[in-house]
Amino acid sequence: MRVGILTGGGDCPGLNPAIRGATLRLIRDGHIPIGILQGWKGLVQGLTVPLSEERVDEIIREGGTILGTSRTNPFKNEQDLQRLLDNYHALGFDALIAIGGEDTLGVGARLYAEHHLPVVGVPKTMDNDLGGTDFTFGFDSAVSVAVEALDRLRDTAKSHARIIVLEVMGRHAGWVALYAGIGGGADWILIPEIPVDLNAMCHYLQQVYHGGKHYGLVVVSEGVELPFAQTDQPIVLDDFGHVVLKERAVGSRVARYIEEITGIETRDAVIGHIQRGGPPTVFDRVLATRLGLKAAELVSMEQFGSMTALHGVEVVAVPLTEAVRNLKLVPYDLYEEARQIFQRLVLQPQRSGAV
Ligand code: F6P
């Protein structure tokens, strides 16, 4: 079979190991792997590149994706969809392996269900918010970067007796903020799933600070809704209708609020795309390789319309529709579990007028 492999959506560490795993197993099973450049855009435009054992041999340690990526949604206009279908046949493909998150796999699920294209999905996203799998690759690498940032911020926050707010990615889900906050020992964690209580946070930070610690660390997810007015920047949507969050400056707004309410000097840091680059952690290398291998195996078995997934320590196949049905959000109980650590002091009652 001629099998096209593409990577779509935001890049993350682990994409290259997944491409490598799928390519090596496809070759082993007697198939021809072909790289499709820039996600679904590459199939719309007919952009391909050969994949061989030599080409993928050393990419296990490389961040990003050798195939490039885009946030192209071919279902957004009829012509693009037709060009994609025409190219699929003109390029002689027999199957596709789509490596991506909710948007890329959502397109894959529709191509399979509505146009009968034989698609197998591989889950990736640093946000870890994809359904059907326990973890996605990219997440462990991103969290490791965020924890390192917190370790560094602790040194400077402590030296200057400041509070520092770290803003991390996470559009709909707070997995990165929660894990970074636990792993980096933050004093408060704000995630999109849990309504923020800024006054409780400020009151707690004041107690921590004046109780002898003399500094504080807060982690906030970029997707958190704040109870005061948003910036007046125009709302920009991507191809899939998601709000582009780059102008929201959640971290700096939280920092300003803390400083205003507590009177403690507060700064913020945003690590942004730094979380998405660099070599994958060992966990992500192994997970991505296994998910890629399994995807090629599913192609050989002609088990299309499925996605590879991690269940416990097993790599299994689940229906693509299951993966894209609902986002996997941080459960309330897990946040409360973390709260036992970050909010460990018993709060003294607030004096009236003070936080
Ligand atoms: O979808 C993953 C993600 O990393 C989100 O957490 C973030 O909001 C978004 O991508 C940023 O995308 P871009 O690279 O297009 O700015």
Side-chain angles (χ1 to χ4, degrees), residues 49 180 189 224 231-232 242 250 277 335:
V49 65
I189 304 169
V224 157
T231 56
D232 47 14
H242 303 299
V250 164
Y335 184 79

Side-chain angles (χ1 to χ4, degrees), residues 5-259:
I5 302 178
L6 63 86
T7 53
D11 72 332
C12 69
L15 287 168
N16 284 328
I19 294 166
R20 181 173 178 267
T23 299
L24 295 178
R25 173 72 196 249
L26 286 171
I27 293 170
R28 186 169 172 262
D29 287 3
H31 306 305
I32 303 169
I34 296 152
I36 298 169
L37 300 175
Q38 298 171 40
W40 293 117
K41 184 177 169 186
L43 202 48
V44 171
Q45 299 186 356
L47 311 171
T48 62
V49 65
L51 286 172
S52 63
E53 204 177 321
E54 296 70 41
R55 178 67 189 95
V56 301
D57 188 24
E58 292 179 3
I59 64 173
I60 185 80
R61 61 185 180 166
E62 280 177 34
T65 160
I66 59 163
L67 298 177
T69 185
S70 70
R71 293 192 187 277
T72 302
N73 179 2
F75 282 96
K76 221 181 144 191
N77 82 65
E78 201 54 45
Q79 277 176 341
D80 280 354
L81 181 60
Q82 197 49 54
R83 286 169 70 194
L84 180 150
L85 296 171
D86 291 347
N87 278 329
Y88 176 84
H89 295 295
L91 292 163
F93 285 130
D94 300 296
L96 292 176
I97 294 179
I99 308 172
E102 48 159 335
D103 298 330
T104 304
L105 298 184
V107 170
R110 286 188 69 182
L111 287 173
Y112 173 73
E114 297 169 25
H115 299 277
H116 314 295
L117 291 199
V119 179
V120 170
V122 176
K124 73 86 214 178
T125 165
M126 61 150 284
D127 291 345
N128 197 39
D129 60 359
L130 206 61
T133 183
D134 291 354
F135 282 97
T136 51
F137 61 79
F139 173 64
D140 187 63
S141 303
V143 169
S144 302
V145 172
V147 167
E148 192 193 330
L150 270 181
D151 288 348
R152 289 169 186 271
L153 292 174
R154 182 184 300 278
D155 294 342
T156 174
K158 207 168 167 178
S159 303
H160 285 266
R162 289 171 173 158
I163 292 172
I164 300 189
V165 177
L166 175 68
E167 178 188 313
V168 298
M169 280 187 171
R171 189 162 41 193
H172 308 292
W175 291 104
V176 176
L178 186 76
Y179 271 58
I182 297 172
D187 299 299
W188 202 274
I189 304 169
L190 296 168
I191 62 172
E193 293 88 338
I194 308 289
V196 301
D197 184 346
L198 294 179
N199 283 341
M201 175 182 73
C202 289
H203 178 50
Y204 182 74
L205 291 172
Q206 270 183 322
Q207 253 187 255
V208 166
Y209 190 93
H210 296 302
K213 188 164 177 174
H214 300 311
Y215 75 97
L217 291 175
V218 173
V219 183
V220 58
S221 184
E222 62 175 350
V224 157
E225 288 299 329
L226 297 174
F228 40 83
Q230 300 288 327
T231 56
D232 47 14
Q233 300 291 336
I235 292 174
V236 180
L237 302 181
D238 70 13
D239 249 20
F240 290 90
H242 303 299
V243 177
V244 178
L245 298 177
K246 64 181 176 186
E247 309 290 359
R248 293 181 80 236
V250 164
S252 77
R253 291 160 69 213
V254 168
R256 281 206 305 273
Y257 189 86
I258 293 172
E259 186 167 282

Side-chain angles (χ1 to χ4, degrees), residues 297-308:
E297 183 191 321
L298 294 178
V299 167
S300 291
M301 291 161 61
E302 303 194 9
Q303 203 174 319
F304 300 117
S306 55
M307 181 189 85
T308 61

Side-chain angles (χ1 to χ4, degrees), residues 267-350:
R267 299 294 174 87
D268 74 287
V270 184
I271 45 174
H273 292 85
I274 294 169
Q275 293 155 97
R276 296 231 306 252
T281 57
V282 175
F283 180 86
D284 279 342
R285 292 181 197 203
V286 174
L287 176 59
T289 300
R290 293 182 70 202
L291 292 170
L293 284 170
K294 183 74 177 179
E297 183 191 321
L298 294 178
V299 167
S300 291
M301 291 161 61
E302 303 194 9
Q303 203 174 319
F304 300 117
S306 55
M307 181 189 85
T308 61
L310 183 70
H311 285 182
V313 293
E314 302 293 326
V315 170
V316 298
V318 297
L320 253 181
T321 43
E322 186 185 318
V324 297
R325 193 176 302 129
N326 291 314
L327 280 178
K328 187 181 69 194
L329 300 178
V330 173
Y332 176 78
D333 287 352
L334 186 55
Y335 184 79
E336 286 305 309
E337 198 180 316
R339 198 196 284 278
Q340 296 171 41
I341 301 294
F342 74 74
Q343 193 181 345
R344 59 187 173 278
L345 296 182
V346 179
L347 283 180
Q348 300 305 313
Q350 287 179 265

